[in-house]
PDB file of all heavy atoms in Angstrom:
ATOM      1  N   TYR D   4      23.634  -6.127   0.868  1.00 95.00           N
ATOM      2  CA  TYR D   4      22.385  -5.777   1.541  1.00 95.00           C
ATOM      3  C   TYR D   4      21.281  -6.721   1.111  1.00 95.00           C
ATOM      4  O   TYR D   4      21.280  -7.251  -0.002  1.00 95.00           O
ATOM      5  CB  TYR D   4      21.993  -4.343   1.200  1.00 95.00           C
ATOM      6  CG  TYR D   4      23.034  -3.354   1.631  1.00 95.00           C
ATOM      7  CD1 TYR D   4      23.929  -2.809   0.717  1.00 95.00           C
ATOM      8  CD2 TYR D   4      23.161  -3.006   2.973  1.00 95.00           C
ATOM      9  CE1 TYR D   4      24.903  -1.937   1.123  1.00 95.00           C
ATOM     10  CE2 TYR D   4      24.137  -2.130   3.381  1.00 95.00           C
ATOM     11  CZ  TYR D   4      25.014  -1.601   2.463  1.00 95.00           C
ATOM     12  OH  TYR D   4      25.989  -0.746   2.859  1.00 95.00           O
ATOM     13  N   LYS D  11       2.491  -8.182   6.507  1.00 95.00           N
ATOM     14  CA  LYS D  11       1.255  -7.816   7.198  1.00 95.00           C
ATOM     15  C   LYS D  11       1.122  -6.297   7.330  1.00 95.00           C
ATOM     16  O   LYS D  11       0.035  -5.775   7.526  1.00 95.00           O
ATOM     17  CB  LYS D  11       1.179  -8.480   8.577  1.00 95.00           C
ATOM     18  CG  LYS D  11       2.209  -7.973   9.563  1.00 95.00           C
ATOM     19  CD  LYS D  11       2.065  -8.658  10.909  1.00 95.00           C
ATOM     20  CE  LYS D  11       3.023  -8.051  11.921  1.00 95.00           C
ATOM     21  NZ  LYS D  11       4.437  -8.348  11.604  1.00 95.00           N
ATOM     22  N   CYS D  13       1.886  -4.151   4.962  1.00 95.00           N
ATOM     23  CA  CYS D  13       1.685  -3.471   3.675  1.00 95.00           C
ATOM     24  C   CYS D  13       0.260  -2.967   3.562  1.00 95.00           C
ATOM     25  O   CYS D  13      -0.690  -3.732   3.764  1.00 95.00           O
ATOM     26  CB  CYS D  13       1.994  -4.421   2.517  1.00 95.00           C
ATOM     27  SG  CYS D  13       1.702  -3.695   0.893  1.00 95.00           S
ATOM     28  N   GLU D  15      -0.720  -1.430   0.732  1.00 94.00           N
ATOM     29  CA  GLU D  15      -0.961  -1.360  -0.716  1.00 94.00           C
ATOM     30  C   GLU D  15      -1.046   0.079  -1.219  1.00 94.00           C
ATOM     31  O   GLU D  15      -1.774   0.377  -2.153  1.00 94.00           O
ATOM     32  CB  GLU D  15      -2.224  -2.144  -1.108  1.00 94.00           C
ATOM     33  CG  GLU D  15      -2.140  -3.627  -0.724  1.00 94.00           C
ATOM     34  CD  GLU D  15      -3.444  -4.385  -0.956  1.00 94.00           C
ATOM     35  OE1 GLU D  15      -4.124  -4.112  -1.960  1.00 94.00           O
ATOM     36  OE2 GLU D  15      -3.771  -5.252  -0.120  1.00 94.00           O
ATOM     37  N   SER D  21       5.960   4.194  -6.833  1.00 97.00           N
ATOM     38  CA  SER D  21       6.134   5.566  -7.307  1.00 97.00           C
ATOM     39  C   SER D  21       7.535   6.080  -7.016  1.00 97.00           C
ATOM     40  O   SER D  21       8.153   6.736  -7.852  1.00 97.00           O
ATOM     41  CB  SER D  21       5.108   6.497  -6.654  1.00 97.00           C
ATOM     42  OG  SER D  21       3.818   6.239  -7.139  1.00 97.00           O
ATOM     43  N   LYS D  24      10.056   4.740  -9.492  1.00 96.00           N
ATOM     44  CA  LYS D  24       9.913   5.411 -10.794  1.00 96.00           C
ATOM     45  C   LYS D  24      10.527   6.801 -10.760  1.00 96.00           C
ATOM     46  O   LYS D  24      11.220   7.217 -11.684  1.00 96.00           O
ATOM     47  CB  LYS D  24       8.421   5.533 -11.141  1.00 96.00           C
ATOM     48  CG  LYS D  24       7.801   4.266 -11.669  1.00 96.00           C
ATOM     49  CD  LYS D  24       7.911   4.214 -13.160  1.00 96.00           C
ATOM     50  CE  LYS D  24       7.570   2.840 -13.683  1.00 96.00           C
ATOM     51  NZ  LYS D  24       7.687   2.764 -15.132  1.00 96.00           N
ATOM     52  N   MET D  25      10.229   7.531  -9.695  1.00 96.00           N
ATOM     53  CA  MET D  25      10.686   8.918  -9.599  1.00 96.00           C
ATOM     54  C   MET D  25      12.204   8.984  -9.499  1.00 96.00           C
ATOM     55  O   MET D  25      12.846   9.701 -10.254  1.00 96.00           O
ATOM     56  CB  MET D  25      10.066   9.585  -8.367  1.00 96.00           C
ATOM     57  CG  MET D  25       8.610   9.960  -8.530  1.00 96.00           C
ATOM     58  SD  MET D  25       8.364  11.318  -9.680  1.00 96.00           S
ATOM     59  CE  MET D  25       9.114  12.675  -8.793  1.00 96.00           C
ATOM     60  N   TRP D  26      12.774   8.232  -8.556  1.00 96.00           N
ATOM     61  CA  TRP D  26      14.213   8.368  -8.327  1.00 96.00           C
ATOM     62  C   TRP D  26      15.002   7.891  -9.538  1.00 96.00           C
ATOM     63  O   TRP D  26      15.963   8.539  -9.968  1.00 96.00           O
ATOM     64  CB  TRP D  26      14.650   7.589  -7.081  1.00 96.00           C
ATOM     65  CG  TRP D  26      16.126   7.702  -6.897  1.00 96.00           C
ATOM     66  CD1 TRP D  26      17.077   6.790  -7.262  1.00 96.00           C
ATOM     67  CD2 TRP D  26      16.839   8.827  -6.381  1.00 96.00           C
ATOM     68  NE1 TRP D  26      18.335   7.278  -7.004  1.00 96.00           N
ATOM     69  CE2 TRP D  26      18.219   8.522  -6.454  1.00 96.00           C
ATOM     70  CE3 TRP D  26      16.454  10.064  -5.863  1.00 96.00           C
ATOM     71  CZ2 TRP D  26      19.206   9.413  -6.017  1.00 96.00           C
ATOM     72  CZ3 TRP D  26      17.427  10.940  -5.428  1.00 96.00           C
ATOM     73  CH2 TRP D  26      18.793  10.602  -5.517  1.00 96.00           C
ATOM     74  N   GLY D  32       5.176   3.425 -19.602  1.00 92.00           N
ATOM     75  CA  GLY D  32       4.599   3.002 -20.871  1.00 92.00           C
ATOM     76  C   GLY D  32       5.503   2.140 -21.733  1.00 92.00           C
ATOM     77  O   GLY D  32       5.218   1.955 -22.914  1.00 92.00           O
ATOM     78  N   PHE D  48     -15.375 -16.747  -1.877  1.00 97.00           N
ATOM     79  CA  PHE D  48     -16.161 -15.816  -1.067  1.00 97.00           C
ATOM     80  C   PHE D  48     -17.153 -16.569  -0.197  1.00 97.00           C
ATOM     81  O   PHE D  48     -17.847 -17.461  -0.692  1.00 97.00           O
ATOM     82  CB  PHE D  48     -16.888 -14.848  -1.994  1.00 97.00           C
ATOM     83  CG  PHE D  48     -17.555 -13.727  -1.255  1.00 97.00           C
ATOM     84  CD1 PHE D  48     -16.868 -12.554  -0.997  1.00 97.00           C
ATOM     85  CD2 PHE D  48     -18.853 -13.874  -0.786  1.00 97.00           C
ATOM     86  CE1 PHE D  48     -17.469 -11.531  -0.290  1.00 97.00           C
ATOM     87  CE2 PHE D  48     -19.459 -12.865  -0.077  1.00 97.00           C
ATOM     88  CZ  PHE D  48     -18.770 -11.680   0.168  1.00 97.00           C
ATOM     89  N   GLN D 129      25.780   7.119  -1.228  1.00 86.00           N
ATOM     90  CA  GLN D 129      25.745   8.373  -0.474  1.00 86.00           C
ATOM     91  C   GLN D 129      25.227   8.163   0.944  1.00 86.00           C
ATOM     92  O   GLN D 129      24.894   9.116   1.624  1.00 86.00           O
ATOM     93  CB  GLN D 129      24.815   9.362  -1.169  1.00 86.00           C
ATOM     94  CG  GLN D 129      25.250   9.738  -2.562  1.00 86.00           C
ATOM     95  CD  GLN D 129      24.270  10.711  -3.163  1.00 86.00           C
ATOM     96  OE1 GLN D 129      23.973  11.743  -2.570  1.00 86.00           O
ATOM     97  NE2 GLN D 129      23.748  10.385  -4.329  1.00 86.00           N
ATOM     98  N   GLY D 130      25.107   6.914   1.335  1.00 85.00           N
ATOM     99  CA  GLY D 130      24.612   6.667   2.683  1.00 85.00           C
ATOM    100  C   GLY D 130      23.108   6.827   2.805  1.00 85.00           C
ATOM    101  O   GLY D 130      22.589   6.984   3.911  1.00 85.00           O
ATOM    102  N   LEU D 131      22.403   6.807   1.672  1.00 91.00           N
ATOM    103  CA  LEU D 131      20.948   6.905   1.712  1.00 91.00           C
ATOM    104  C   LEU D 131      20.340   5.531   1.476  1.00 91.00           C
ATOM    105  O   LEU D 131      20.984   4.651   0.903  1.00 91.00           O
ATOM    106  CB  LEU D 131      20.455   7.866   0.621  1.00 91.00           C
ATOM    107  CG  LEU D 131      20.995   9.292   0.701  1.00 91.00           C
ATOM    108  CD1 LEU D 131      20.632  10.064  -0.545  1.00 91.00           C
ATOM    109  CD2 LEU D 131      20.465   9.989   1.940  1.00 91.00           C
ATOM    110  N   ASP D 132      19.079   5.388   1.895  1.00 92.00           N
ATOM    111  CA  ASP D 132      18.388   4.121   1.671  1.00 92.00           C
ATOM    112  C   ASP D 132      17.822   4.096   0.257  1.00 92.00           C
ATOM    113  O   ASP D 132      17.570   5.140  -0.333  1.00 92.00           O
ATOM    114  CB  ASP D 132      17.246   3.978   2.678  1.00 92.00           C
ATOM    115  CG  ASP D 132      17.735   4.027   4.109  1.00 92.00           C
ATOM    116  OD1 ASP D 132      18.861   3.552   4.365  1.00 92.00           O
ATOM    117  OD2 ASP D 132      17.007   4.559   4.969  1.00 92.00           O
ATOM    118  N   PRO D 148      22.111  -4.763   6.260  1.00 91.00           N
ATOM    119  CA  PRO D 148      23.261  -5.587   5.882  1.00 91.00           C
ATOM    120  C   PRO D 148      22.811  -7.043   5.826  1.00 91.00           C
ATOM    121  O   PRO D 148      22.160  -7.535   6.757  1.00 91.00           O
ATOM    122  CB  PRO D 148      24.259  -5.366   7.017  1.00 91.00           C
ATOM    123  CG  PRO D 148      23.810  -4.110   7.693  1.00 91.00           C
ATOM    124  CD  PRO D 148      22.340  -4.019   7.500  1.00 91.00           C
ATOM    125  N   GLY D 183      -4.576  -8.446  21.516  1.00 67.00           N
ATOM    126  CA  GLY D 183      -4.643  -7.726  22.798  1.00 67.00           C
ATOM    127  C   GLY D 183      -4.881  -8.634  23.968  1.00 67.00           C
ATOM    128  O   GLY D 183      -4.973  -9.828  23.830  1.00 67.00           O
TER     129      GLY D 183
ATOM    130  N   THR I   4      15.960   2.416   8.702  1.00 36.00           N
ATOM    131  CA  THR I   4      17.057   2.767   7.794  1.00 36.00           C
ATOM    132  C   THR I   4      18.298   1.998   8.179  1.00 36.00           C
ATOM    133  O   THR I   4      18.391   1.420   9.258  1.00 36.00           O
ATOM    134  CB  THR I   4      17.399   4.263   7.878  1.00 36.00           C
ATOM    135  OG1 THR I   4      17.912   4.526   9.181  1.00 36.00           O
ATOM    136  CG2 THR I   4      16.171   5.095   7.637  1.00 36.00           C
ATOM    137  N   ARG I   5      19.261   2.092   7.294  1.00 37.00           N
ATOM    138  CA  ARG I   5      20.477   1.342   7.548  1.00 37.00           C
ATOM    139  C   ARG I   5      21.150   1.806   8.816  1.00 37.00           C
ATOM    140  O   ARG I   5      21.631   1.028   9.600  1.00 37.00           O
ATOM    141  CB  ARG I   5      21.404   1.520   6.355  1.00 37.00           C
ATOM    142  CG  ARG I   5      22.678   0.736   6.520  1.00 37.00           C
ATOM    143  CD  ARG I   5      23.549   0.811   5.324  1.00 37.00           C
ATOM    144  NE  ARG I   5      23.143   1.862   4.428  1.00 37.00           N
ATOM    145  CZ  ARG I   5      23.640   2.036   3.247  1.00 37.00           C
ATOM    146  NH1 ARG I   5      24.553   1.206   2.804  1.00 37.00           N
ATOM    147  NH2 ARG I   5      23.250   2.998   2.460  1.00 37.00           N
ATOM    148  N   ARG I   6      21.130   3.087   9.035  1.00 39.00           N
ATOM    149  CA  ARG I   6      21.790   3.583  10.238  1.00 39.00           C
ATOM    150  C   ARG I   6      21.057   3.098  11.471  1.00 39.00           C
ATOM    151  O   ARG I   6      21.659   2.689  12.442  1.00 39.00           O
ATOM    152  CB  ARG I   6      21.860   5.109  10.205  1.00 39.00           C
ATOM    153  CG  ARG I   6      22.811   5.615   9.156  1.00 39.00           C
ATOM    154  CD  ARG I   6      22.947   7.108   9.233  1.00 39.00           C
ATOM    155  NE  ARG I   6      21.754   7.779   8.758  1.00 39.00           N
ATOM    156  CZ  ARG I   6      21.434   7.918   7.486  1.00 39.00           C
ATOM    157  NH1 ARG I   6      22.223   7.434   6.550  1.00 39.00           N
ATOM    158  NH2 ARG I   6      20.343   8.535   7.135  1.00 39.00           N
ATOM    159  N   TRP I   8      19.346   0.461  11.599  1.00 40.00           N
ATOM    160  CA  TRP I   8      19.551  -0.967  11.668  1.00 40.00           C
ATOM    161  C   TRP I   8      20.814  -1.285  12.445  1.00 40.00           C
ATOM    162  O   TRP I   8      20.839  -2.132  13.311  1.00 40.00           O
ATOM    163  CB  TRP I   8      19.655  -1.514  10.241  1.00 40.00           C
ATOM    164  CG  TRP I   8      19.920  -2.969  10.195  1.00 40.00           C
ATOM    165  CD1 TRP I   8      21.129  -3.576  10.124  1.00 40.00           C
ATOM    166  CD2 TRP I   8      18.961  -4.000  10.259  1.00 40.00           C
ATOM    167  NE1 TRP I   8      20.978  -4.935  10.139  1.00 40.00           N
ATOM    168  CE2 TRP I   8      19.665  -5.225  10.214  1.00 40.00           C
ATOM    169  CE3 TRP I   8      17.568  -4.026  10.370  1.00 40.00           C
ATOM    170  CZ2 TRP I   8      19.025  -6.447  10.248  1.00 40.00           C
ATOM    171  CZ3 TRP I   8      16.941  -5.258  10.399  1.00 40.00           C
ATOM    172  CH2 TRP I   8      17.678  -6.443  10.347  1.00 40.00           C
ATOM    173  N   GLY I  36      19.433  12.212   5.119  1.00 66.00           N
ATOM    174  CA  GLY I  36      20.354  12.259   3.998  1.00 66.00           C
ATOM    175  C   GLY I  36      19.897  13.144   2.868  1.00 66.00           C
ATOM    176  O   GLY I  36      18.734  13.138   2.489  1.00 66.00           O
ATOM    177  N   ALA I  39      23.209  13.975  -3.320  1.00 80.00           N
ATOM    178  CA  ALA I  39      24.207  14.936  -3.785  1.00 80.00           C
ATOM    179  C   ALA I  39      23.654  15.809  -4.889  1.00 80.00           C
ATOM    180  O   ALA I  39      22.951  15.356  -5.780  1.00 80.00           O
ATOM    181  CB  ALA I  39      25.437  14.176  -4.295  1.00 80.00           C
ATOM    182  N   ARG I  67      13.182  16.121  -8.659  1.00 92.00           N
ATOM    183  CA  ARG I  67      13.700  14.775  -8.965  1.00 92.00           C
ATOM    184  C   ARG I  67      13.114  13.701  -8.072  1.00 92.00           C
ATOM    185  O   ARG I  67      13.065  12.532  -8.434  1.00 92.00           O
ATOM    186  CB  ARG I  67      15.223  14.790  -8.821  1.00 92.00           C
ATOM    187  CG  ARG I  67      15.937  15.244 -10.047  1.00 92.00           C
ATOM    188  CD  ARG I  67      15.961  14.134 -11.089  1.00 92.00           C
ATOM    189  NE  ARG I  67      16.930  13.112 -10.720  1.00 92.00           N
ATOM    190  CZ  ARG I  67      16.616  11.889 -10.344  1.00 92.00           C
ATOM    191  NH1 ARG I  67      15.360  11.495 -10.268  1.00 92.00           N
ATOM    192  NH2 ARG I  67      17.557  11.014 -10.035  1.00 92.00           N
ATOM    193  N   HIS I  81       5.819  10.410   5.869  1.00 92.00           N
ATOM    194  CA  HIS I  81       5.848   9.661   4.616  1.00 92.00           C
ATOM    195  C   HIS I  81       4.851  10.216   3.604  1.00 92.00           C
ATOM    196  O   HIS I  81       4.088  11.108   3.904  1.00 92.00           O
ATOM    197  CB  HIS I  81       5.532   8.189   4.886  1.00 92.00           C
ATOM    198  CG  HIS I  81       6.639   7.490   5.606  1.00 92.00           C
ATOM    199  ND1 HIS I  81       7.768   7.032   4.970  1.00 92.00           N
ATOM    200  CD2 HIS I  81       6.791   7.202   6.912  1.00 92.00           C
ATOM    201  CE1 HIS I  81       8.562   6.480   5.869  1.00 92.00           C
ATOM    202  NE2 HIS I  81       8.004   6.566   7.044  1.00 92.00           N
ATOM    203  N   GLY I  84       1.642   6.466  -2.592  1.00 95.00           N
ATOM    204  CA  GLY I  84       2.034   6.363  -3.994  1.00 95.00           C
ATOM    205  C   GLY I  84       1.596   7.554  -4.829  1.00 95.00           C
ATOM    206  O   GLY I  84       2.272   7.927  -5.787  1.00 95.00           O
ATOM    207  N   GLY I 229      -1.535  -4.269  19.632  1.00 95.00           N
ATOM    208  CA  GLY I 229      -2.452  -5.299  20.089  1.00 95.00           C
ATOM    209  C   GLY I 229      -3.917  -4.939  19.993  1.00 95.00           C
ATOM    210  O   GLY I 229      -4.766  -5.622  20.545  1.00 95.00           O
ATOM    211  N   TYR I 239     -14.372  -7.788   0.316  1.00 96.00           N
ATOM    212  CA  TYR I 239     -13.114  -7.925   1.039  1.00 96.00           C
ATOM    213  C   TYR I 239     -12.094  -6.976   0.415  1.00 96.00           C
ATOM    214  O   TYR I 239     -11.895  -6.961  -0.790  1.00 96.00           O
ATOM    215  CB  TYR I 239     -12.637  -9.371   0.912  1.00 96.00           C
ATOM    216  CG  TYR I 239     -11.315  -9.689   1.556  1.00 96.00           C
ATOM    217  CD1 TYR I 239     -11.252 -10.306   2.801  1.00 96.00           C
ATOM    218  CD2 TYR I 239     -10.113  -9.411   0.905  1.00 96.00           C
ATOM    219  CE1 TYR I 239     -10.033 -10.632   3.390  1.00 96.00           C
ATOM    220  CE2 TYR I 239      -8.889  -9.729   1.483  1.00 96.00           C
ATOM    221  CZ  TYR I 239      -8.864 -10.334   2.717  1.00 96.00           C
ATOM    222  OH  TYR I 239      -7.660 -10.659   3.290  1.00 96.00           O
ATOM    223  N   ARG I 244      -8.203  -7.311   4.970  1.00 95.00           N
ATOM    224  CA  ARG I 244      -6.988  -8.112   5.180  1.00 95.00           C
ATOM    225  C   ARG I 244      -6.322  -7.711   6.480  1.00 95.00           C
ATOM    226  O   ARG I 244      -5.746  -8.520   7.191  1.00 95.00           O
ATOM    227  CB  ARG I 244      -6.034  -7.903   4.004  1.00 95.00           C
ATOM    228  CG  ARG I 244      -4.669  -8.537   4.173  1.00 95.00           C
ATOM    229  CD  ARG I 244      -3.867  -8.484   2.881  1.00 95.00           C
ATOM    230  NE  ARG I 244      -3.508  -7.136   2.489  1.00 95.00           N
ATOM    231  CZ  ARG I 244      -2.496  -6.432   2.993  1.00 95.00           C
ATOM    232  NH1 ARG I 244      -1.731  -6.957   3.912  1.00 95.00           N
ATOM    233  NH2 ARG I 244      -2.260  -5.217   2.572  1.00 95.00           N
ATOM    234  N   PHE I 245      -6.426  -6.451   6.774  1.00 93.00           N
ATOM    235  CA  PHE I 245      -5.783  -5.901   7.942  1.00 93.00           C
ATOM    236  C   PHE I 245      -6.546  -6.137   9.234  1.00 93.00           C
ATOM    237  O   PHE I 245      -5.995  -6.066  10.323  1.00 93.00           O
ATOM    238  CB  PHE I 245      -5.619  -4.388   7.736  1.00 93.00           C
ATOM    239  CG  PHE I 245      -4.274  -3.920   8.103  1.00 93.00           C
ATOM    240  CD1 PHE I 245      -3.231  -4.049   7.213  1.00 93.00           C
ATOM    241  CD2 PHE I 245      -4.035  -3.396   9.351  1.00 93.00           C
ATOM    242  CE1 PHE I 245      -1.969  -3.648   7.563  1.00 93.00           C
ATOM    243  CE2 PHE I 245      -2.773  -2.989   9.706  1.00 93.00           C
ATOM    244  CZ  PHE I 245      -1.743  -3.112   8.815  1.00 93.00           C
ATOM    245  N   TRP I 249     -13.406  -9.724   9.656  1.00 97.00           N
ATOM    246  CA  TRP I 249     -14.146  -9.051   8.583  1.00 97.00           C
ATOM    247  C   TRP I 249     -15.482  -9.743   8.432  1.00 97.00           C
ATOM    248  O   TRP I 249     -15.556 -10.965   8.397  1.00 97.00           O
ATOM    249  CB  TRP I 249     -13.369  -9.135   7.282  1.00 97.00           C
ATOM    250  CG  TRP I 249     -14.214  -8.899   6.067  1.00 97.00           C
ATOM    251  CD1 TRP I 249     -14.856  -7.757   5.726  1.00 97.00           C
ATOM    252  CD2 TRP I 249     -14.528  -9.847   5.041  1.00 97.00           C
ATOM    253  NE1 TRP I 249     -15.549  -7.912   4.547  1.00 97.00           N
ATOM    254  CE2 TRP I 249     -15.368  -9.190   4.099  1.00 97.00           C
ATOM    255  CE3 TRP I 249     -14.185 -11.181   4.821  1.00 97.00           C
ATOM    256  CZ2 TRP I 249     -15.853  -9.826   2.957  1.00 97.00           C
ATOM    257  CZ3 TRP I 249     -14.664 -11.818   3.683  1.00 97.00           C
ATOM    258  CH2 TRP I 249     -15.501 -11.143   2.768  1.00 97.00           C
ATOM    259  N   GLU I 641       0.158   4.149 -15.278  1.00 96.00           N
ATOM    260  CA  GLU I 641       0.796   2.876 -15.632  1.00 96.00           C
ATOM    261  C   GLU I 641       0.424   1.780 -14.636  1.00 96.00           C
ATOM    262  O   GLU I 641       0.265   0.624 -15.017  1.00 96.00           O
ATOM    263  CB  GLU I 641       2.316   3.045 -15.662  1.00 96.00           C
ATOM    264  CG  GLU I 641       3.034   1.807 -16.167  1.00 96.00           C
ATOM    265  CD  GLU I 641       4.530   2.014 -16.222  1.00 96.00           C
ATOM    266  OE1 GLU I 641       5.113   2.419 -15.201  1.00 96.00           O
ATOM    267  OE2 GLU I 641       5.118   1.773 -17.293  1.00 96.00           O
ATOM    268  N   GLU I 683     -12.831 -13.207  -6.207  1.00 98.00           N
ATOM    269  CA  GLU I 683     -13.575 -13.774  -5.084  1.00 98.00           C
ATOM    270  C   GLU I 683     -13.744 -12.774  -3.951  1.00 98.00           C
ATOM    271  O   GLU I 683     -14.307 -13.114  -2.921  1.00 98.00           O
ATOM    272  CB  GLU I 683     -12.860 -15.032  -4.552  1.00 98.00           C
ATOM    273  CG  GLU I 683     -12.891 -16.225  -5.490  1.00 98.00           C
ATOM    274  CD  GLU I 683     -14.249 -16.923  -5.538  1.00 98.00           C
ATOM    275  OE1 GLU I 683     -15.169 -16.529  -4.789  1.00 98.00           O
ATOM    276  OE2 GLU I 683     -14.386 -17.870  -6.347  1.00 98.00           O
TER     277      GLU I 683
END
Side-chain angles (χ1 to χ4, degrees):
Chain D
Y4 300 101
K11 67 179 185 292
C13 177
E15 301 173 38
S21 290
K24 281 270 168 181
M25 284 290 293
W26 178 261
F48 189 89
Q129 298 180 54
L131 301 170
D132 301 327
Chain I
T4 66
R5 182 176 14 188
R6 291 185 288 283
W8 178 267
R67 275 283 285 111
H81 289 280
Y239 178 100
R244 173 171 67 80
F245 226 82
W249 161 65
E641 186 178 53
E683 291 285 356

